Amino acid sequence: MASFNPNSFLYKNSTNVFDIAESRMNPSFVPPSSAIDFLTLCNRLKTTKRAGWVKKDVKNPESISDHMYRMGLMALISSDFPGLNRDKCVKMAIVHDIAEAIVGDITPCDGISKEEKNRREKEALDHMCNVLGGGSRAEEIHDLWMEYEENSSLEAKLVKDFDKIEMILQALEYEKDQGKDLEEFFVSTAGKFQTDMGKAWASEIVSRRNKH
Ligand code: ZN
């Protein structure tokens, strides 16, 4: 039986997408140096701790990437719903806080207006899309981010719910593991869920908290 040879699959088949010479003609092609520059910038998402937990003196608080990763899983396990593009939700979840790689996690306590926060984040997003080379992949990231910010689709509404759900689930976990009182995170999100799925998942978390 012929065995699978990853090297021949990746490099020797000239019709393969990994053929660099052909890929340059492809609008989705990201030059390797741009890809690695972009990913290096994204490392800050892994090293920047979420500000809400830092302010509450949580020990070993999660990073921005940690938060986006679990939101990606939320989208992955969510039910099919008429008119909902679940794959788009997964992508939106892993992109929605990407500008924080440059501007950091700005919270309402920082004394920066919502408009100024938005302006800084939009500028950072544009910079990251330029670093990526501005092709169709950069365009996709830009459009997903804008759609989320503008809350302009069913996917954006669901991912915005996931954003809050991920936060209160994490709050409950820190309350249990570190004996913290993180009531304010539950208060600030109560009644703000936009989808039935979001409401149902949030109420499951709240009822577990009440039982605890
Ligand atoms: Zn978020």
Side-chain angles (χ1 to χ4, degrees), residues 50 67-68 71 96-97 100 148 163:
R50 295 252 289 160
H67 159 70
M68 291 202 287
M71 284 174 61
H96 80 286
D97 283 335
E100 293 180 16
Y148 176 82
D163 191 49

Side-chain angles (χ1 to χ4, degrees), residues 53 164-165 167-175 180-193 202 205-210:
W53 311 134
K164 297 182 184 77
I165 290 163
M167 185 178 74
I168 60 171
L169 179 56
Q170 185 62 72
L172 176 59
E173 288 157 351
Y174 288 143
E175 283 187 332
K180 293 270 172 197
D181 175 9
L182 299 170
E183 170 80 9
E184 67 193 71
F185 295 89
F186 294 88
V187 172
S188 69
T189 51
K192 295 199 175 145
F193 296 93
I205 294 166
V206 169
S207 78
R208 287 184 187 210
R209 182 173 186 250
N210 293 338

Side-chain angles (χ1 to χ4, degrees), residues 4-199:
F4 174 66
N5 179 345
N7 290 331
S8 104
F9 176 73
L10 289 176
Y11 302 113
K12 289 185 184 160
N13 177 352
S14 66
T15 60
N16 192 280
V17 69
F18 291 94
D19 185 306
I20 295 289
E22 275 192 25
S23 294
R24 287 191 195 286
M25 310 299 288
N26 182 333
S28 68
F29 177 69
V30 176
S33 67
S34 302
I36 302 305
D37 283 348
F38 174 81
L39 295 170
T40 300
L41 208 44
C42 290
N43 182 49
R44 292 196 213 154
L45 298 166
K46 297 170 71 173
T47 56
T48 307
K49 308 293 185 194
R50 295 252 289 160
W53 311 134
V54 173
K55 289 194 173 86
K56 299 301 284 184
D57 290 324
V58 164
K59 279 195 287 299
N60 297 321
E62 61 161 353
S63 69
I64 297 162
S65 296
D66 294 332
H67 159 70
M68 291 202 287
Y69 175 70
R70 190 155 62 173
M71 284 174 61
L73 292 178
M74 289 176 169
L76 190 62
I77 65 167
S78 65
S79 320
D80 288 328
F81 185 81
L84 180 79
N85 181 340
R86 200 169 51 88
D87 290 351
K88 187 174 172 185
C89 293
V90 176
K91 292 179 184 180
M92 197 179 279
I94 62 168
V95 153
H96 80 286
D97 283 335
I98 201 166
E100 293 180 16
I102 293 176
V103 301
D105 186 6
I106 301 169
T107 70
C109 319
D110 293 323
I112 294 165
S113 70
K114 208 171 179 321
E115 294 69 33
E116 174 59 13
K117 174 179 184 279
N118 192 268
R119 192 198 62 75
R120 288 187 196 180
E121 288 180 348
K122 179 70 180 44
E123 194 176 79
L125 175 77
D126 289 343
H127 174 69
M128 292 180 84
C129 290
N130 284 337
V131 168
L132 202 47
S136 68
R137 291 293 181 258
E139 220 170 277
E140 184 178 27
I141 290 173
H142 176 272
D143 292 351
L144 286 164
W145 191 90
M146 288 303 293
E147 194 171 315
Y148 176 82
E149 276 300 300
E150 291 168 357
N151 194 28
S152 60
S153 63
L154 183 56
E155 288 80 10
K157 289 181 192 347
L158 184 61
V159 177
K160 277 190 179 281
D161 279 1
F162 289 156
D163 191 49
K164 297 182 184 77
I165 290 163
E166 206 291 315
M167 185 178 74
I168 60 171
L169 179 56
Q170 185 62 72
L172 176 59
E173 288 157 351
Y174 288 143
E175 283 187 332
K176 280 203 267 188
D177 298 346
Q178 301 190 21
K180 293 270 172 197
D181 175 9
L182 299 170
E183 170 80 9
E184 67 193 71
F185 295 89
F186 294 88
V187 172
S188 69
T189 51
K192 295 199 175 145
F193 296 93
Q194 304 183 86
T195 67
D196 287 345
M197 201 188 302
K199 283 173 199 163

